[in-house]
Every structure is written in C-alpha cells, then in structure tokens.
Amino acid sequence: MTAPAMVNLTIEGRPVSVPAGTSILEAAKAAGVLIPHYCYHPGLPVAGVCRMCLVDVEKAPKLMPSCATTVAEGQVVRVHDDKSLEARKGVLEMLLINHPLDCPICDQSGECELQDYTFQEGRADSRYREPKRFNPVEDFGGDVLYVPNRCILCTRCVRFMDDVQQESALCVAERGDRAVIAKAPDADLTQAWAGNVVDLCPVGALLSKDFLNKARAWELDRAPSICTGCSQGCNVTLETRDNAVVRIKPRGNPDVNAFFICDEGRLNYRWMNRQDRCLAPTAAGTECHWDAAVAAAASALNGKRAHIVANASLGNEAFFLLGVLAKKTGGSVRFTVPQGPEALLPGVEDLALRADRAANAYGAELLGASRADDPYRGLGAGDTLVLVDVDPASVPAGALAAAGRVVYLGTVVAAGVKAAAVLPIANIAEHDGTVTNLRGHVQRYFQARPAPGHARPAWSAVADLLIALKGEANFLTAADAFAAMAKAHAAFAGMTFDQLGTRGAAAAGATAGAGR
Amino acid sequence: MGYPHKSHPRETAVLSKHFGDPDARSLDGWKKRGGYRALEQALASQPAQLVDTVKQSGLRGRGGAGFPTGMKWSFMKPGDGKPHYLCCNADESEPGTFKDREIMRWTPHALVEGCAVGAYAIGAETAYIYIRGEFDEPIRRMEAAVAEAYAAGLLGANAMGSGKRVDVHVHKGAGAYICGEETALMNSLEGKRGNPRIKPPFPAVSGLFSQPTTINNVETLAAVPHILNNGAEWYKAMSLSNPKSTGTKLFSVCGNVARPGNYEVVMGFPFKDFLYDLCGGPPAGRKFKAIIPGGSSVPIQTMEEAEATLMDYEGFVAQGTQLGSGGVIIFDDAQSMPRMIARLARFYAHESCAQCTQCREGTAWTTKILERIVDGQGTFEDLDTLLSIAENMTGKTICVLSDSCAAPVVSGLQKFRHEFEALITGKRTSKVAVAGGAAFAGAATP
C-alpha cells in the first residue's frame, strides 16, 4: 500500500500538511485549530447539516462546510475571520430560538457544545420574540431519554443507528421547524450499543436515564480506565462524584473501540461502589495490622503448594506476581471466565461485546496462568488455597473443606470463608495497572478514587507476600512491577508505563489490534 | 394552441401547440402530429451527435437554473462501465408554476419521447419521470402513454427496433416541494427521505443509486424532439434579445390578471407586451403592482422593472430578478405585499426539509415575524431582524430553499417597505389574516 499524497494548505495562517482526501475540519484539527461543529463526528458519515463549520476558503464564492470539503493544494482557509464568525453567530442564534435555555436543570450542562460555543462566540441576547416550539419528552427505551426541545437535529444519533449499529431505529420525522427525532415504529433503543447516542448527542436532547439528575458535569472527577465487562478492553473514562463512580463514558481509541462502548459495559459500574467492601486485614479471623496479616498468610503458604484462583479481570502486574508466587511454592494460578452472549457493533471492524466477560484472560495466559472451567480441580489436601478477588459466594464449600488453609485477597468481605489471612485489595477504580485484551493490546487503567480502608492493589499485596516468603518483589509503584514483568516476560519486552500512555500497545506476537 | 385561453397571435406555440387537443394524447394521435420521428432518428445516430445538436441549439434548463442542457449531457462520460440514469424532474412544485403539468396532461408522448432521446444521448438505458404526488391526472396520462409506448415497441429492450434498450418509468412522489431539488429527488427515488445531498459529488459523477445521472426538467426534455426534428439552427434562431437564450419558453401566469394561463413565447419577448397584450392586463378597475416572474423563489419586481424586462435568462437578471421556472405571479393594487410575502414564507417554512439549521429555523422564524407584522403587532426592529435573518439564510445551506425564502422577503422589504411600515405604525391594518395562520404552530400572537 502506498501512502496517500500529502496536500499542503494554510489554515488560520498555520501551514499544515495532511493526506489527500482529508476534510478541512480534520486538517484544521491537525493544525491545532478547532472549527466549531455539531453534526460532524469522526466516527460517523458526514451529514453537513448543522452548517456550523462553515469557513472561508480563499477563491471559493461562498463559505464552505469544512466537514464536507476536502483539502486542496495551496488552499488558504480562515476560520476566525468576520465572515465565518458572523455565519456561526447566525447558526447559534437560530439553534437557540426554539431552545428552552433550561441549562440549570439540564444534565448536559457543563459538557454541552451548544453552551460552549454560545459562550465562546454567540450573541449575548436573542432577537426572538415569538412563542417557542414545544414537544414532550419521550422515552426512547433502553437507557435513552429524548428531550426534543433541546434537540438541534444534528442527526448524529440517526446516523449512528443507521451506519454503526446498523439497525435503523431512529429517523427524522416531520419537516421544517416541526422536525424531531423519532423512533421507527415498534423500535426501542435496546440494541447492545444504542446507548452511544447519548454520548454522541452534542446537546442535552438525548440523556442517559441511568445518569439522570445524578450529578452536574463540573462536579465529576474523571480518570481514564478500561472496561472490565469483557475481553474487548474498551477504553473508558470513570467519572466519580465524591469518590462514588456515577458514570462510565467511552474514551476514543482507534486501536480498540473507536469512540464507543456497549450498554452492558456502560451500565456495569455499581459493583465498584459496593458497600460490603473488605476494609481491614485479618489473621485467623481477627483484625490486625497489615504486616501481621501478611505474616499469617506467609506462614500459611510456607512449604505448601499455593493453589491460586484469581479473577480474570485482575491486572497484568497481579498475574505476574501471582505467577512468581505459584512458581516459588510449586503451585499454579487458575482462573475461570464468565460467559455471555456476544454482541457485534457492525459498523466498526472487530469491535464487540465479547463472550468472555472478563478483561484480562489473554494477559493472564501470557503470564502463565491457566484458564479452567473448574479452577478448584486438582486442589490437594495439603495445598493452600489462595483466592484473589474471587466472589466468596462462588467458592464451592468442598474446595474450602479440601484446602489445608485459605488465604483470601479480596475486595469484598470474605463471607463464609474461614481464612488464615485476609488482605483487602483495591478494585479497578482504585489503583493503577494494565490489562491485555483479546487481541493482545496492553492498556493502562488509572486510579479514579482512593481505595477504602486498608485495601491495597492486588499486585502490592502479593508483592508483600513474596517479600515475606524471602522473595524479590520490592516495588513501589505499579510501573515498577510492570517494568519487572516486561523484563521477565518476552510478550511485554520493552514496554513501559509511559510508553503505553492512554492508547496502549500490542504485546509481542499479538494479532493486529481491534478497531478500524 | 394556448390553454385554457385561446392562442394569441404573438405566441409561438411549439410545446403548447396541442394543448387542449385531446386527440394528441394517444400514441396514434401523437404520431399523426409528427411524434416519435425524433426518437427514431436519435436511435439511428451516435449519442455524441445528439449532445452536439442540443449544445448548438442553445437549449438551457427550464427548471429554474438555466444551465445549458447540452453541456450537462456532456458531463456523462461514455464508456465508463457504469449504468447511467436520466431523471426527468416532473415534481413541478414551485408556487405559480404549472407548465409541466399541461405538457404532461395534453402531450404525454412528447415527454416520453424527450426522455427516451435524452436517455439515449447520455448513455442511459433507464429514465425515471418523477412526478409530484398531487399531479393525479398528469400521472395517469404519463402512465398510459408509457404503457402505450411499450406496447408499440417504442420503449424496452429493443426500442423502435433499434436493438437499443430504453426504459422509461413513471414514479409518483409524495408531494414534497423539496423533492423538486435534484438531489432530494434522487434520494426520494431511492426510497429515502427527500433530503438534498451535499454537492460535490455532482449527479453526473454520483447521482441516482450512486451512478452517473442527469436530471432535466419536463419542458427541457419535451423541447429536445423539436430540436432534432427542426434542427439546432431553427431553435437557435428563436431568440429576440440575448443569443444565449434561445427557443420558446412556457410561462404560467396566475394572480390578479385578466387571462391567467400558460403562454409560450420566444425568448426575449417584451414582458410589458406579454402582460398587457397576451395576458390581457389587470382585472377591470385594478392596476398591476408587483410581479414575481419566475416562480415564488425569485426576487419580486416592481412594475417599472417588469415593464422594462425582456423575457429571457439575461433580461430578468438585468431587472433584478430571474427567469426561474417561468411562473409569473401577478399582484394588483388591492393586495397587501406583506401579507403575500408572509404567505410565501409560510410555504417555505412548511416545506423545509429540516436538514440545515438556517433553513429549518430561519424559514419558520421569518414566517412568524411576517405574520405578526401582518397582524399589526410588528415593530421597526422586526424589519432589521428580517433582513438579518435573510442574510443568514442566503448562500449558507445545502440547497437553495433557504435562499428562496429569503429572496421575496429581501426584495419585498426593499421595494415595498412603506407597506410594512404602514402596518407597523397602524396606518393600515391588514384586512384579512393570512389564511390558515392560526393552524401554524406559534404563528398567532397571544
């Protein structure tokens, strides 16, 4: 494949060189110039209807829609000249004449592009003296609520359903200023990926029912993370308010999930806020100092084979150190992967809600753990059963009885598990780490809030255990643990936390990344 | 023969020659009147020759834009390995325009023949005639004519025994003004919502079903057989003023005039004579006040401008307006211009496809302000606002519906501002509220 020819142009006085066929809007982005726009979205076909991105192109008889105009050699584009600015002011005024201006009660407020651009360059007043158009709120099914009065008819939602989800559930009904977004007869937005229309909506017209009235956008703290709902490893942003996770939003990554996440992943965050968290370390059932619990766990493991059963969504760092622990004790690391129905997103290549409903099965296997339908099989009477982030209710009573001793590293209280030692660990929202998706793409997740009580990251707890067992595991940070893993495992050779950044990188020998 | 009035001696009836003559409707009747000779001749010649002939004739699009037809046809590259399509735009929805309707009602075979010739000339095997849904009789006439032509072997896989395939289909629209916009028409034909498409790509590159497509107006295609029969020079010679405007043009005349109807004159005919002589002047006791000469989308003319106009593409432009579709709407001195303009604006607000912001919101906003002014509730600021909205609606949208709504507002305010001001200052109130105004959401003042 030959690289496309490069085209040189000037945007707002900045020279920029982009591949032929690029739109002026994207070329401007590359030059560091944001051309205000509503209907354009890089993940959707171009509609060119909002007319917000009109720019002055030298020698063109009229303003050109930058989303639908491709670059040409020597083009001179002006974005912030009077002509373009006046045109945008005109569009903003028109978009607002029938808008209820109900920002104080609108969920989108604070992350609304209509608000942003109006504040940036819109008129301070309105010349509209007529009654405003009104349409009642409609439940679109799924997680989506439609507030037509706020709608600017950019049709991003319609195009997402038509071209990406490829189930035409939405359309524009009626004409002129009576036009609204409507559901197709008998359709509901219950498709696996339909919730993305809420993120795509640049204004407060499509709202998440789950997030409705929960928080104002400016009250949220945000951290990049990875969805643990399946093995796709979609990039997400965890949004917290007062340390409670209140919303998950997709985070764009062309190698993994384009701009989207599925509804199952989007709405599957309540477990992160569970109240029955394991808060304190215990030794023989009594709360104690962290070091005392580590010592109790070490003595339970000393000279015993460690039969380790781990959650397949644990980070690579934890699996790496669990592997070291298994090797040291002559034991093994096993995990099981919950299953669910697969749901493809047809408009994006290799993007699906995967049948494997865990984030790191691929990474776990790279690090020597083995996948098993029954991870407790082969548990010997003299073995020490080490449970790492495993739902205590899922542990068969027989396994607990068969094991000589139990060491419990968990995020939730060890109900029904009589453990020699309990070490509370952090969940994915509470620590830094990496996971490896089904295509071998290694990606970082970042801490979104502090861990409760005495909980520490799983890798840190396991490192403490290894030290107590006279091993070498002196890591201060997840990055340190990751660096040691990169040295020890060829698949991660040469990788560093810094290099992974927020986009991740493919493990050595991994198949080509998912995405477009 | 004119219709419904008697033909005037100063008319040049080419397309309208058989209007009002029911015998011309049948295939036999049409053949007796010289029909299908042009198609036979066309199928025996090279498409490039036909394109050349039409180029030489100077024929320009009769739908409104006046683009040279031969040049449009020459954009269709032969031998590109793609199916070509011809669309005949019979979605005649421009207010004040009803010339295509009469062509289809009285001489349906003229259009079938024109479509077949046009399709062959651009390398298309298929032509679609897209007729607006309200045209019940024209649709039936066209369907009957196409069926007759197929039965007689004039169309189909072996058109007129030439061994060449020419298919013509009649497609009924659902009655949306915007489907007369060529790209919206193609979307509608494809079964999609009739929204105009962004250009480029132009239809000649990617049109109907994403294939090279030409869209021509009914009157344009109906003229083509006459050009083939009589020669390009004959057609070109029909020009009274500017040589860039050739042939005859049908004008639909309506409004406050003694003899409304369709009139066919040679390009460049003096508008003054047309109005007072052919159309019989104003109704008794009235005076002409203003004219929209090319369908509702073109700027309004004062009578001074109109009477100085020569009726061709250049002549109308020289007098501040456009030839457009040839739908002449006449207002006499009993009419309130603000009321008329408000009614026009409401039409555009109703018909906006809702894609572009300026059109969707601007047409409705314009209408609301105009109707408020007509109701005697206007302010002087409203007039400035109207002009500012019109500026925002002009040259900024995918198609020109928005511009079309703005044109009569701007020209109306320029030329009849005193009428608006009189309504605002209360010196004169509108006698009748705009018909149906209350039904238009939010139009009425509380």
Side-chain angles (χ1 to χ4, degrees), chain A residues 104-475:
Chain A
I105 57 155
C106 175
D107 262 359
Q108 190 83 2
S109 191
E111 50 188 12
C112 171
E113 290 171 39
L114 190 54
Q115 220 176 23
D116 290 350
Y117 291 136
T118 301
F119 185 74
Q120 197 174 301
E121 51 188 27
R123 291 173 62 94
D125 61 335
S126 171
R127 298 177 292 181
Y128 193 66
R129 303 280 173 268
E130 327 301 325
K132 293 202 182 212
R133 169 185 68 217
F134 172 80
N135 285 299
V137 172
E138 195 182 342
D139 186 344
F140 269 4
D143 182 40
V144 185
L145 203 62
Y146 179 50
V147 186
N149 298 331
R150 297 176 188 152
C151 182
I152 61 170
L153 287 163
C154 69
T155 71
R156 280 189 191 180
C157 53
V158 177
R159 283 174 284 144
F160 175 82
M161 293 308 292
D162 283 352
D163 296 282
V164 185
Q165 176 76 61
Q166 295 180 9
E167 287 185 46
S168 299
L170 297 178
C171 63
V172 177
E174 262 296 343
R175 294 182 289 165
D177 75 332
R178 292 95 58 216
V180 287
I181 303 296
K183 287 191 296 180
D186 303 323
D188 251 340
L189 288 187
T190 46
Q191 298 79 2
W193 296 77
N196 287 294
V197 297
V198 173
D199 308 323
L200 291 168
C201 182
V203 298
L206 293 172
L207 300 175
S208 162
K209 288 190 244 173
D210 181 76
F211 184 67
L212 200 64
N213 302 338
K214 259 192 197 167
R216 312 311 325 254
W218 54 87
E219 295 170 331
L220 300 175
D221 293 310
R222 297 173 171 87
S225 190
I226 303 297
C227 177
T228 56
C230 81
S231 56
Q232 179 74 38
C234 288
N235 291 210
V236 296
T237 302
L238 293 186
E239 301 190 335
T240 57
R241 180 185 175 187
D242 291 350
N243 291 333
V245 178
V246 290
R247 182 168 71 171
I248 295 184
K249 282 258 183 192
R251 184 162 58 83
N253 188 336
D255 297 326
V256 180
N257 57 314
F259 306 93
F260 312 115
I261 55 172
C262 71
D263 287 17
E264 187 168 319
R266 176 188 303 271
L267 299 174
N268 185 15
Y269 62 85
R270 284 185 171 74
W271 60 272
M272 294 181 199
N273 299 331
R274 276 176 76 155
Q275 295 298 299
D276 57 344
R277 291 296 295 272
C278 184
L279 298 175
T282 66
T286 311
E287 281 191 17
C288 62
H289 191 272
W290 179 270
D291 292 345
V294 169
S299 83
L301 281 161
N302 205 1
K304 301 287 192 300
R305 218 162 55 140
H307 185 103
I308 304 168
V309 177
N311 185 324
S313 290
L314 283 176
N316 291 317
E317 300 75 15
F319 272 111
F320 162 58
L321 293 173
L322 287 171
V324 175
L325 178 65
K327 201 169 170 192
K328 194 170 182 67
T329 62
S332 60
V333 185
R334 294 157 198 231
F335 63 90
T336 182
V337 182
Q339 297 295 302
E342 194 173 73
L344 274 166
L345 184 60
V348 181
E349 196 189 325
D350 201 22
L351 178 55
L353 165 63
R354 305 289 174 180
D356 277 3
R357 296 290 210 266
N360 202 21
Y362 189 94
E365 284 186 318
L366 282 180
L367 293 161
S370 42
R371 180 174 178 142
D373 290 336
D374 177 8
Y376 300 96
R377 186 178 296 164
L379 177 63
D383 292 351
T384 296
L385 176 62
V386 182
L387 299 170
V388 190
D389 199 12
V390 170
D391 179 4
S394 74
V395 185
L400 290 173
R405 283 148 188 222
V406 179
V407 173
Y408 179 88
L409 280 68
T411 57
V412 294
V413 288
V417 177
K418 208 173 155 216
V422 168
L423 293 172
I425 59 170
N427 70 25
I428 191 164
E430 295 151 1
H431 71 289
D432 293 344
T434 62
V435 286
T436 309
N437 85 347
L438 81 164
R439 300 286 181 251
H441 202 74
V442 184
Q443 312 190 82
R444 285 174 67 180
Y445 53 84
F446 294 68
Q447 184 176 7
R449 63 156 188 227
H454 294 268
R456 297 185 185 185
W459 65 265
S460 175
V462 179
D464 282 356
L465 266 179
L466 283 170
I467 292 168
L469 290 167
K470 310 277 186 280
E472 288 285 324
N474 197 10
F475 309 122

Side-chain angles (χ1 to χ4, degrees), chain A residues 253 255 434 440-444 446 479 482-483 486 490-508:
Chain A
N253 188 336
D255 297 326
T434 62
H441 202 74
V442 184
Q443 312 190 82
R444 285 174 67 180
F446 294 68
F482 186 86
F492 302 93
M495 284 185 187
T496 65
F497 251 40
D498 282 352
Q499 173 229 332
L500 291 180
T502 51
R503 282 275 294 269

Side-chain angles (χ1 to χ4, degrees), chain B residues 91-162:
Chain B
D91 190 72
E92 184 176 53
S93 316
E94 184 73 12
T97 314
F98 42 88
K99 62 189 176 62
D100 298 343
R101 182 188 74 195
E102 298 308 306
I103 291 176
M104 292 188 284
R105 279 180 69 207
W106 296 109
T107 59
H109 282 286
L111 182 58
V112 174
E113 187 177 5
C115 287
V117 173
Y120 177 70
I122 60 163
E125 293 187 334
T126 309
Y128 291 96
I129 305 175
Y130 186 99
I131 308 180
R132 67 179 291 195
E134 296 92 333
F135 273 6
D136 192 54
E137 188 194 340
I139 290 167
R140 283 187 283 114
R141 299 274 178 226
M142 288 311 302
E143 281 175 344
V146 167
E148 267 187 308
Y150 268 105
L154 305 178
L155 299 174
N158 183 16
M160 299 192 91
S162 64

